């Protein structure tokens, strides 16, 4: 299953193993909810796997990759986490494919695997083991791509990796100066106009009344997640004691990443206060409302907020992956312009709150991402990555 290529093209295109290593290294730096890194990446190398991938994509190509959701790493405490996980995988997938394209490996065909379809009915061999014995049992395949050598995209892999490395989730204060309207208009445009079948509704909140309304909403409702026992227990499981533990685990976030630099006594006090049992007890006296008020105060002093939404209230898997791709491009470009983002996912993780937010701010469709946008006053620590974050599985 190979395609012919010219000597010029062969000279320009990186060998696939090398290109994949570079692309996976950049994609591994992708943001994800709680920094849980729920994606898996497989390369079809066996005859059975390549035949299945070719049948699914309808393309006789040089290489096939499969994006997966790693069920051992996904968040499950809330129903809304299902969307967050696939959007996070879509962010990773977009960065991977863009970095491959920069090295001359172009997409020949894509097949999104419908989450409601039975694997056997979709033409996948092996039923529950869709790509044979080499496929990890904890992985749910989301998407298959066929790749061929082609012209370079014009981007430099080193630049893409640098932007991925520079990207931060910055939860600290931002400068009060407005973000230039021209820059926001540029960010509102898709990176590749007309390339997606499912457009994403993107809106920036910059008017003072809208920002105040959003901050007031956060103050009223963000405490819900702090007070939800199952959700907070899951969130707390990603809070790392210190940088050493975060480095060793390779995921989650430290208290400093959440609240900024702090003394050792304050760190000890915060660790005690945030423990699920303590949080449940403190919730009886309104501690979750205190945390929500603190988050709202940070939001209130932010120059802009970005929202992204699907067209409909029941997005398909293809729409969720494309939403992730749109988010990846936005965050990437914002980073290159010196802007930081801080997602406020807490107001979207309960369907009734999300619906209320959409009505109060007149947001179309189903909102899947809300974030502060601005210029951070100080550098943010880099999120940690697990040791195998840039590794793929051959099957």
């Amino acid at each position: 299953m190979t395609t012919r290529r010219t000597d010029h093209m062969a000279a320009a295109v990186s060998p696939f193993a090398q290109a994949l290593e570079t692309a996976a290294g950049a994609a591994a730096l992708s943001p994800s909810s709680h920094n849980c890194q729920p994606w898996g990446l497989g390369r079809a190398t066996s005859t059975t796997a390549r035949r299945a991938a070719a049948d699914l994509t309808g393309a006789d190509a040089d290489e096939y990759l499969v994006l997966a959701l790693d069920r051992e790493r996904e968040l499950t405490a809330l129903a809304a986490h299902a969307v967050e996980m696939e959007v996070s995988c879509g962010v990773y997938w977009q960065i991977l494919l863009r970095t491959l394209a920069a090295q001359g490996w172009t997409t020949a065909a894509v097949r999104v695997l419908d989450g409601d379809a039975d694997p056997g009915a979709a033409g996948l061999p092996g039923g529950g083991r869709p790509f044979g014995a080499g496929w990890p049992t904890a992985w749910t395949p989301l998407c298959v791509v066929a790749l061929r050598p082609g012209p370079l995209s014009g981007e430099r892999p080193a630049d893409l990796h640098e932007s991925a490395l520079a990207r931060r989730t910055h939860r600290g204060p931002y400068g009060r100066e407005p973000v230039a309207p021209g820059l926001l208009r540029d960010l509102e445009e898709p990176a590749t106009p007309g390339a997606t079948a499912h457009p994403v509704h993107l809106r920036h909140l910059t008017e003072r009344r809208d920002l105040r309304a959003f901050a007031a909403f956060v103050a009223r409702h963000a405490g819900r997640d702090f007070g939800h026992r199952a959700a907070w227990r899951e969130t707390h499981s990603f809070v790392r004691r210190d940088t050493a533990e975060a480095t060793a685990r390779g995921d989650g976030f430290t208290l400093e990443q959440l609240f900024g630099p702090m003394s050792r006594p304050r760190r000890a006090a915060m660790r005690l206060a945030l423990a699920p049992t303590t949080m449940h007890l403190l919730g009886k006296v309104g501690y979750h409302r205190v945390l929500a008020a603190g988050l709202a105060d940070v939001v209130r002093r932010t120059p802009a907020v970005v929202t992204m939404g699907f067209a409909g209230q029941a997005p398909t898997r293809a729409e969720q992956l494309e939403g992730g791709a749109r988010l990846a491009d936005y965050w990437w470009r914002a980073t290159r312009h010196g802007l930081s983002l801080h997602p406020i996912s807490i107001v979207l993780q309960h369907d009734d709150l999300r619906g209320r937010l959409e009505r109060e701010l007149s947001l179309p469709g189903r909102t899947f991402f809300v974030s502060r946008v601005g210029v951070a006053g100080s550098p943010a620590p880099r999120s940690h990555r697990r040791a195998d974050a840039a590794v793929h599985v051959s099957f």
Side-chain angles (χ1 to χ4, degrees):
M1 295 184 186
T2 58
T3 57
R4 290 182 297 175
R5 66 198 79 171
T6 65
D7 292 341
H8 173 73
M9 184 180 294
V13 175
S14 300
F16 188 74
Q18 174 186 325
L20 182 58
E21 181 179 358
T22 299
L29 300 169
S30 303
S32 59
S33 297
H34 294 14
N35 190 27
C36 68
Q37 304 162 53
W39 47 74
L41 178 65
R43 179 186 180 187
T45 56
S46 69
T47 301
T48 298
R50 286 177 60 82
R51 184 179 298 117
D55 289 344
L56 284 166
T57 59
D60 182 10
D62 292 65
E63 297 286 347
Y64 300 94
L65 295 176
V66 182
L67 171 70
L69 171 67
D70 186 344
R71 296 190 304 278
E72 293 181 344
R73 303 195 63 83
E74 66 176 329
L75 306 181
T76 60
L78 298 171
H81 285 154
V83 172
E84 287 189 13
M85 295 300 94
E86 297 205 5
V87 169
S88 294
C89 289
V91 173
Y92 169 91
W93 193 231
Q94 176 70 351
I95 295 177
L96 182 90
L97 295 182
R98 273 185 69 173
T99 310
L100 284 172
Q103 300 171 90
W105 286 93
T106 61
T107 298
V110 176
R111 171 71 182 273
V112 176
L113 306 177
D114 188 345
D116 297 326
D118 174 72
L124 296 171
R129 301 294 293 275
F131 293 104
W135 183 258
T137 57
W139 286 12
T140 297
L142 304 179
C143 186
V144 186
V145 64
L147 298 156
R148 295 173 180 150
L152 306 182
S153 67
E155 296 185 289
R156 294 180 65 247
D159 291 341
L160 296 174
H161 187 274
E162 182 180 349
S163 292
L165 193 63
R167 183 210 59 79
R168 297 284 194 277
T169 297
H170 202 302
R171 299 176 178 85
Y174 294 169
R176 300 293 293 272
E177 299 79 10
V179 181
L183 173 54
L184 293 179
R185 285 194 297 271
D186 177 66
L187 291 174
E188 288 169 1
E189 294 297 323
T192 52
T196 59
H198 309 286
V200 170
H201 296 298
L202 189 152
R203 179 183 169 195
H204 284 112
L205 308 179
T206 57
E207 296 293 334
R208 183 170 298 180
R209 64 177 181 276
D210 290 333
L211 293 172
R212 285 178 173 172
F214 179 59
F217 188 92
V218 170
R220 291 196 308 273
H221 302 297
R224 169 86 69 87
D225 218 43
F226 295 118
H228 191 290
R229 297 191 72 174
W232 182 251
R233 189 177 299 111
E234 184 174 64
T235 296
H236 188 265
S237 72
F238 284 90
V239 177
R240 304 299 171 229
R241 181 175 60 253
D242 50 30
T243 301
E245 183 186 22
T247 301
R249 296 287 295 271
D251 61 7
F253 32 70
T254 64
L255 290 174
E256 281 78 6
Q257 286 176 301
L258 291 173
F259 302 106
M262 61 183 67
S263 64
R264 183 174 298 179
R266 184 176 177 230
R267 186 187 303 116
M270 288 299 296
R271 283 180 55 197
L272 176 62
L274 295 177
T277 300
T278 310
M279 182 70 79
H280 176 64
L281 294 174
L282 292 176
K284 298 179 182 299
V285 294
Y287 184 55
H288 59 288
R289 288 190 290 272
V290 174
L291 294 174
L295 178 59
D297 187 54
V298 172
V299 169
R300 193 175 294 110
R301 293 179 281 112
T302 297
V305 167
V306 62
T307 70
M308 296 186 189
F310 303 114
Q313 290 292 323
T316 63
R317 173 164 290 166
E319 289 175 300
Q320 292 175 57
L321 294 178
E322 288 194 21
R326 183 73 172 90
L327 174 55
D329 289 337
Y330 180 99
W331 207 325
W332 209 327
R333 291 158 70 190
T335 298
R336 289 186 170 184
H337 285 292
L339 298 175
S340 295
L341 273 70
H342 171 200
I344 312 294
S345 304
I346 201 166
V347 298
L348 302 177
Q349 293 179 337
H350 301 271
D351 285 342
D352 61 324
L353 294 186
R354 177 181 51 77
R356 191 176 303 177
L357 178 68
E358 290 164 353
R359 291 190 296 272
E360 290 190 13
L361 296 180
S362 301
L363 301 176
R366 176 187 172 134
T367 305
F368 68 87
F369 183 73
V370 178
S371 176
R372 300 166 57 218
V373 181
V375 178
S378 59
R382 185 184 307 164
S383 296
H384 295 82
R385 289 294 179 268
R386 62 184 194 270
D388 61 349
V391 173
H392 69 276
V393 171
S394 295
F395 59 95

